[in-house]
Amino acid sequence: MLIKNNDLWFSEYYMEDDVKLSLKIDEILYAERSPFQKIEIFKNKTFGVFMVLDGYIQVTEKDEFVYHDMISHPAMAVNPDIKNVLIIGAGDGGTAREISRYKTIEKIDMVEIDEAVVRACQKYMPITSSVFTNEPRLNLMFDDGLKFVKEAPSGAYDLILVDSTDPAGPGEGLFTIDFYKDCYRVLSEKGILINQHEGAFFDGDIEEMKKAHAKIKKTFPIAKVFGFNTPTYASGYWYFGFASKSFDPIADFKPEQWEKLGLETKYYNTDLHRGAFALPNYVLDILASVNV
Ligand code: SAM
């Protein structure tokens, strides 16, 4: 945090402190060091309430809809028969909120390592966290996602959503090949894995994107990447991976079926689905450079 002209600022730093994104802090709502990470919740006039973990913005009231639409809806528009979902991380609740809009889903297991994140979001960010008290299909557990997946029975889930922190601190294990292999085993024959795939603009993020892509390509027969615009993540554009045992996100896309559901979404739509998987050349080059 930095005081400038009597204003207090939060800054997230990239490229060895050569670049930063700053949001003015109008109010400090919460600050705690949990056994897993430093949790801070601030308020900014433009972005509303926002949560920072270990110095990195996780979620803001203003742009959370982008991330939560894109982690949830593309997979559901490819396989509308998904019944059992596992969410890993996602302590703010936004992913569970979006996924619970599908009445055909029977079970939503969620494994978050840090109970303090959930409790803080319940207090300060009801826009995402109200799902924790009003969704009977949701089974929230406090555990390490890596350990949970290792111990889970084979074929138990049709969809796994990895809504984790970056590959440092408690999220590190969720970017390993052992974790992706366990996800493969735990998924049903038509299973889909959506994972944090990092950014393609700043050097450190590119390296993490390559590493994640190499491991997932080694594990799944179908491993694609799709992007979305999120102003408060590094460079304003971020990626998820779409990995599957049998479904291709474009060839098996079912736009008419998804549209029939009549879900109102602020970011996702069926035209955008196709566009999100159409990557710029510099991102294609990064992915092509990955050796498997
Ligand atoms: N949308 C966010 C982003 O990418 O910036 C992620 C938000 S969500 C709050 C990330 C959550 O993952 C955190 O609450 C963190 O505690 C949780 N997490 C990190 N490592 C984990 C692990 N190994 N198992 C389960 N949850 C984990």
Side-chain angles (χ1 to χ4, degrees):
M1 275 183 275
L2 179 77
I3 297 172
K4 191 180 162 204
N5 303 331
N6 282 330
D7 290 333
L8 192 59
W9 289 80
F10 165 79
S11 295
E12 186 172 313
Y13 293 85
Y14 317 114
M15 299 298 291
E16 294 173 351
D17 299 352
D18 201 39
V19 181
K20 68 178 181 181
L21 167 74
S22 297
L23 268 65
K24 194 162 90 179
I25 297 173
D26 290 317
E27 218 180 317
I28 300 174
L29 297 171
Y30 179 88
E32 186 196 326
R33 193 171 282 281
S34 79
F36 302 100
Q37 55 211 336
K38 186 173 165 203
I39 308 169
E40 295 170 298
I41 302 186
F42 303 121
K43 193 168 186 176
N44 167 274
K45 229 175 266 149
T46 305
F47 282 92
V49 175
F50 65 103
M51 178 170 70
V52 176
L53 296 180
D54 283 341
Y56 290 95
I57 297 177
Q58 303 292 311
V59 56
T60 85
E61 283 185 321
K62 187 159 175 76
D63 65 1
E64 60 84 14
F65 69 96
V66 180
Y67 185 97
H68 295 128
D69 269 17
M70 292 305 276
I71 199 170
S72 309
H73 303 306
M76 293 304 300
V78 169
N79 180 11
D81 295 327
I82 286 169
K83 298 273 184 278
N84 296 317
V85 180
L86 172 64
I87 301 174
I88 296 177
D92 53 77
T95 299
R97 179 197 67 198
E98 282 311 302
I99 226 57
S100 70
R101 298 177 71 198
Y102 293 88
K103 300 302 164 214
T104 46
I105 289 177
E106 291 168 1
K107 185 173 80 161
I108 308 166
D109 284 343
M110 174 171 157
V111 184
E112 160 62 59
I113 205 167
D114 197 344
E115 181 169 1
V117 170
V118 171
R119 301 299 168 225
C121 289
Q122 282 186 301
K123 183 148 187 209
Y124 297 107
M125 214 179 271
I127 185 179
T128 51
S129 63
S130 52
V131 68
F132 294 132
T133 48
N134 65 19
E135 178 46 70
R137 291 168 300 169
L138 180 64
N139 174 28
L140 173 61
M141 295 164 266
F142 296 110
D143 203 349
D144 184 348
L146 184 67
K147 174 174 159 274
F148 183 89
V149 169
K150 193 161 278 317
E151 293 166 1
S154 301
Y157 297 100
D158 307 309
L159 175 63
I160 300 178
L161 303 173
V162 187
D163 182 352
S164 64
T165 41
D166 294 328
E172 206 169 340
L174 305 178
F175 290 78
T176 57
I177 188 135
D178 286 348
F179 173 70
Y180 297 130
K181 279 186 180 161
D182 279 325
C183 287
Y184 184 92
R185 183 186 56 75
V186 162
L187 280 169
S188 59
E189 274 321 298
K190 293 182 169 179
I192 298 173
L193 167 74
I194 306 289
N195 71 295
Q196 267 269 42
H197 223 292
E198 302 297 291
F201 205 78
F202 295 132
D203 290 350
D205 298 332
I206 293 173
E207 284 316 304
E208 296 303 341
M209 171 179 269
K210 282 187 187 172
K211 281 193 228 163
H213 192 58
K215 291 171 196 165
I216 292 174
K217 265 187 96 166
K218 256 189 211 145
T219 315
F220 285 83
I222 297 164
K224 301 285 167 71
V225 172
F226 62 106
F228 51 95
N229 160 239
T230 182
T232 52
Y233 286 4
S235 86
Y237 213 80
W238 210 245
Y239 296 86
F240 284 128
F242 179 112
S244 165
K245 294 187 180 182
S246 59
F247 283 115
D248 180 276
I250 300 298
D252 298 306
F253 178 38
K254 301 173 186 69
E256 295 82 15
Q257 262 179 273
W258 190 83
E259 274 162 17
K260 264 194 212 146
L261 297 172
L263 293 180
E264 273 182 35
T265 43
K266 199 167 164 186
Y267 190 83
Y268 180 80
N269 61 50
T270 52
D271 286 340
L272 183 126
H273 179 109
R274 289 193 185 86
F277 285 91
L279 302 174
N281 286 345
Y282 77 96
V283 181
L284 291 174
D285 287 345
I286 291 169
L287 297 175
S289 72
V290 165
N291 293 319
V292 180

